[in-house]
Amino acid sequence: MEFSVFLFLALLTGLLLLLVRGHPKDHGHLPPGPRPLPFVGNILQMDRKGLLKSFLQLREKYGDVFTVYLGRRPVVILCGTDTIREALVDQAEAFSGRGTIATVEPVFQGYGVIFANGERWKILRRFSLATMRDFGMGKRSVEERIQEEAQCLVEELQKSKGALLDPTFLFQCITSNIICSIVFGERFDYKDRQFLRLLDMFYQTFALATSFYSQMFELFSDFLKYFPGPHRQIYKNLQEINTFIGHSVEKHRATLDPSSPRDFIDSYLLCMEKEKSKPHTEFHHQNLILTLFSLFFAGTETTNTTLRYGFLLFLKYPHVVERVQKEIKEVIGSHHPPSLDDHNEMPYTEAVIHEIQRFSDLLPIGLPHMVTKDTAFRGFIIPKNTEVFAILSSALHDPHYFEKPDDFNPEHFLDANGAFKKNDAFVPFSIGKRICLGEGIARNELFLFFTTILQNFSLASPVAPEDIDLTPRESGAGRVPPTYQIRFLPL
Ligand code: HEM
């Protein structure tokens, strides 16, 4: 039988079943939403521009809490700052489960901190946070590592002698090197072939995993997984990265000194050793590899893309750069490199970095959550294990919290006296128990990288500011700025 005929018959059978049985199996008392078709769910309500656009359209009709069916899976969508806080903060435990991302599920399979659930997640998260914090005490701090990397970047940019360049590659190098330094205890030269291969894998995988195709894959993974397509490439890339990490772990094992762990891997290997007699320990090889992988997966392209959006915004709004550079001159001067102590005295720079993160809206639909038990929320009952998407973009653009949500305006984070002003809708790292585990590191990176570059260089573009286009290339699971070229001119 031809495949298209088979598909048609399958759809028809499903439709008949639905008509006979009414609404798809009533799960608890889910929030309302568009009526799904069998197998394909709410495909008809999905906008060609991706999930975010579709959800924002459905919000107009169904309000801040509604249900959509991605294929056969019901997913509860939460929009707006107050709704998201009410769920992720006020009922933190219930909303702390992790849902799946269909394209990467075959690799993670519920292991590693980012996709783990239950006790496994709690143990891995506690360990990861404590180990990364430890680097601030006694051992070389994360701050020192970022400062060192920032100086390497300055040297590299000086070599460019003001030539036009696409900053993507260098920003990838510096952000990956921070994770490498924490995880492997070493940074890599920007020309190291193995390092370059690793970067290429991350870049490709992030682009594929956030593409429109991957969003479609979320809807039809049960069916599409049997056919060739980018999901196979993602799987191949992720396997290659895993092999790289695996080799590094073996090298660490051979040179481990129990009295002085050098990095994340050493600390984990020591826990493995301590717990080796426990039959159900979570400190095993698979969790190690996939937790390291989680840090790379979550911690490289995110920071790199934010830096890239930041410099594009700087080219578009030169008056903002002038004010940041004035503050750098006044607070830091030009004789010593920026440090985290300078941070508190630089409210304008702090506001600019917040506004870059708000405006760039890197992960507009966040990462999928899942409720860990039957959960009462706003008059509905969300059954245990139902997936939940908190639409971070709807908070970052919340008109109740930001005067002009669609404009880039650092004043959103400044009070009338020019002091830094917090905002409850600022959630680029999400909120609640699953809040980004690398938030502290990412914030430190953004501050030190932005200020070190602006302390040493002025910026120039071949395109006039008014002609610079800020429209992201993908507006699906990840928003990536358009490609651009920039000159870094030594000051
Ligand atoms: C600007 C940079 C970054 C942004 C915008 C960002 C954003 C996010 C967001 C939105 C989540 C999902 C939270 C949720 O499920 O509700 C997340 C999770 C996570 N991030 Fe980040 N992140 C950044 C950098 C980093 C860095 C540098 C690291 C590692 C050092 C990192 C490690 C993680 C991990 C491990 C998780 C999963 C946490 C868990 O499931 O418990 N992130 N991040």
Side-chain angles (χ1 to χ4, degrees):
M1 185 177 352
E2 266 211 30
F3 182 70
S4 53
V5 178
F6 169 75
L7 191 65
F8 174 74
L9 286 177
L11 279 176
L12 196 67
T13 316
L15 200 58
L16 287 173
L17 275 175
L18 185 75
L19 289 176
V20 174
R21 289 166 52 193
H23 207 263
K25 182 173 166 353
D26 280 326
H27 304 261
H29 171 39
L30 282 170
R35 194 181 177 87
L37 290 172
F39 306 116
V40 293
N42 289 121
I43 178 80
L44 296 181
Q45 286 80 23
M46 292 298 142
D47 191 283
R48 281 179 49 225
K49 291 202 175 120
L51 293 183
L52 175 66
K53 187 93 200 246
S54 316
F55 297 155
L56 295 179
Q57 281 166 3
L58 291 170
R59 180 190 188 187
E60 312 237 309
K61 180 157 181 203
Y62 295 99
D64 285 345
V65 185
F66 55 92
T67 307
V68 293
Y69 282 77
L70 297 185
R72 288 183 300 185
R73 294 146 51 203
V75 178
V76 173
I77 308 293
L78 307 176
C79 296
T81 313
D82 298 344
T83 314
I84 293 175
R85 286 197 161 268
E86 213 175 300
L88 269 47
V89 177
D90 298 349
Q91 297 203 56
E93 186 65 34
F95 283 89
S96 69
R98 170 70 74 220
T100 53
I101 298 182
T103 44
V104 297
E105 166 65 13
V107 176
F108 281 94
Q109 294 184 27
Y111 292 98
V113 67
I114 198 167
F115 288 107
N117 271 306
E119 248 339 87
R120 173 179 299 158
W121 166 65
K122 286 189 181 153
I123 290 168
L124 294 176
R125 184 161 171 117
R126 210 178 305 128
F127 169 83
S128 304
L129 277 171
T131 308
M132 292 203 282
R133 219 174 358 226
D134 267 0
F135 287 115
M137 302 185 297
K139 305 182 190 88
R140 261 184 80 223
S141 68
V142 171
E143 177 179 12
E144 277 174 69
R145 289 165 204 255
I146 303 172
Q147 283 172 324
E148 178 192 352
E149 199 58 46
Q151 288 312 317
C152 293
L153 174 66
V154 167
E155 280 170 31
E156 206 59 33
L157 290 177
Q158 275 162 349
K159 283 189 215 157
S160 79
K161 296 201 164 68
L164 267 181
L165 59 91
D166 174 346
T168 310
F169 170 70
L170 284 173
F171 291 167
Q172 262 191 310
C173 289
I174 58 175
T175 50
S176 304
N177 256 340
I178 297 306
I179 306 290
C180 285
S181 172
I182 292 169
V183 164
F184 303 132
E186 59 172 333
R187 63 174 297 279
F188 293 88
D189 189 88
Y190 302 150
K191 293 197 178 72
D192 184 294
R193 282 182 52 197
Q194 230 181 358
F195 181 57
L196 293 183
R197 176 78 190 147
L198 196 65
L199 294 191
D200 194 38
M201 292 289 104
F202 284 134
Y203 186 62
Q204 273 188 33
T205 310
F206 187 77
L208 288 174
T210 56
S211 66
F212 181 70
Y213 171 85
S214 286
Q215 300 206 343
M216 286 300 104
F217 195 78
E218 275 313 316
L219 271 70
F220 302 121
S221 56
D222 285 352
F223 164 72
L224 287 177
K225 67 183 175 194
Y226 298 110
F227 295 90
H231 59 284
R232 297 244 169 115
Q233 187 60 42
I234 293 177
Y235 184 78
K236 244 176 85 187
N237 291 357
L238 296 183
Q239 288 297 5
E240 188 173 334
I241 299 171
N242 264 354
T243 310
F244 178 90
I245 294 176
H247 286 322
S248 180
V249 169
E250 285 321 309
K251 271 198 236 158
H252 274 70
R253 213 187 287 277
T255 56
L256 179 64
D257 173 1
S259 61
S260 98
R262 295 155 297 186
D263 49 38
F264 196 95
I265 298 183
D266 277 0
S267 305
Y268 190 98
L269 289 175
L270 289 178
C271 283
M272 263 172 101
E273 186 59 29
K274 233 187 269 164
E275 297 212 347
K276 69 178 177 201
S277 55
K278 280 195 190 168
H280 299 296
T281 175
E282 290 298 346
F283 288 100
H284 51 67
H285 188 73
Q286 201 164 5
N287 267 337
L288 168 58
I289 299 287
L290 288 157
T291 293
L292 299 179
F293 194 24
S294 299
L295 298 180
F296 277 105
F297 184 73
T300 55
E301 281 307 312
T302 43
T303 322
N304 155 30
T305 309
T306 310
L307 287 171
R308 253 160 64 216
Y309 233 128
F311 280 93
L312 183 63
L313 285 159
F314 287 161
L315 293 177
K316 177 95 182 160
Y317 302 107
H319 66 279
V320 171
V321 181
E322 263 171 45
R323 275 188 72 180
V324 173
Q325 284 181 320
K326 186 164 167 276
E327 203 170 56
I328 292 175
K329 221 182 227 166
E330 286 167 5
V331 178
I332 310 173
S334 53
H335 299 301
H336 72 91
S339 72
L340 296 177
D341 286 341
D342 301 319
H343 208 222
N344 293 336
E345 294 167 60
M346 300 178 67
Y348 187 73
T349 305
E350 181 76 341
V352 168
I353 297 175
H354 274 67
E355 184 65 353
I356 289 171
Q357 285 204 267
R358 187 196 72 79
F359 184 88
S360 58
D361 189 8
L362 181 72
L363 295 169
I365 59 174
L367 291 184
H369 282 234
M370 191 173 77
V371 283
T372 56
K373 56 175 188 184
D374 288 355
T375 301
F377 187 71
R378 295 211 172 169
F380 306 106
I381 304 288
I382 310 174
K384 184 176 174 178
N385 293 342
T386 304
E387 277 185 70
V388 175
F389 289 3
I391 309 302
L392 302 182
S393 183
S394 66
L396 295 172
H397 290 90
D398 194 330
H400 299 112
Y401 286 80
F402 298 105
E403 207 181 317
K404 291 184 180 158
D406 295 328
D407 292 356
F408 176 77
N409 183 5
E411 304 294 324
H412 282 138
F413 293 97
L414 291 170
D415 69 13
N417 303 318
F420 179 75
K421 183 176 73 179
K422 280 189 174 171
N423 190 315
D424 272 355
F426 179 74
V427 293
F429 297 104
S430 186
I431 40 175
K433 294 209 171 203
R434 281 278 180 175
I435 190 171
C436 173
L437 193 143
E439 177 186 4
I441 293 174
R443 280 175 184 259
N444 294 346
E445 282 188 65
L446 293 177
F447 176 76
L448 292 173
F449 287 142
F450 276 131
T451 52
T452 307
I453 295 176
L454 292 182
Q455 183 190 42
N456 288 279
F457 300 93
S458 65
L459 313 173
S461 160
V463 183
E466 58 277 17
D467 294 330
I468 289 177
D469 180 13
L470 297 172
T471 320
R473 265 203 331 237
E474 282 285 345
S475 22
R479 288 184 11 128
V480 181
T483 318
Y484 64 94
Q485 300 224 308
I486 182 171
R487 291 181 205 281
F488 292 92
L489 304 160
L491 282 171

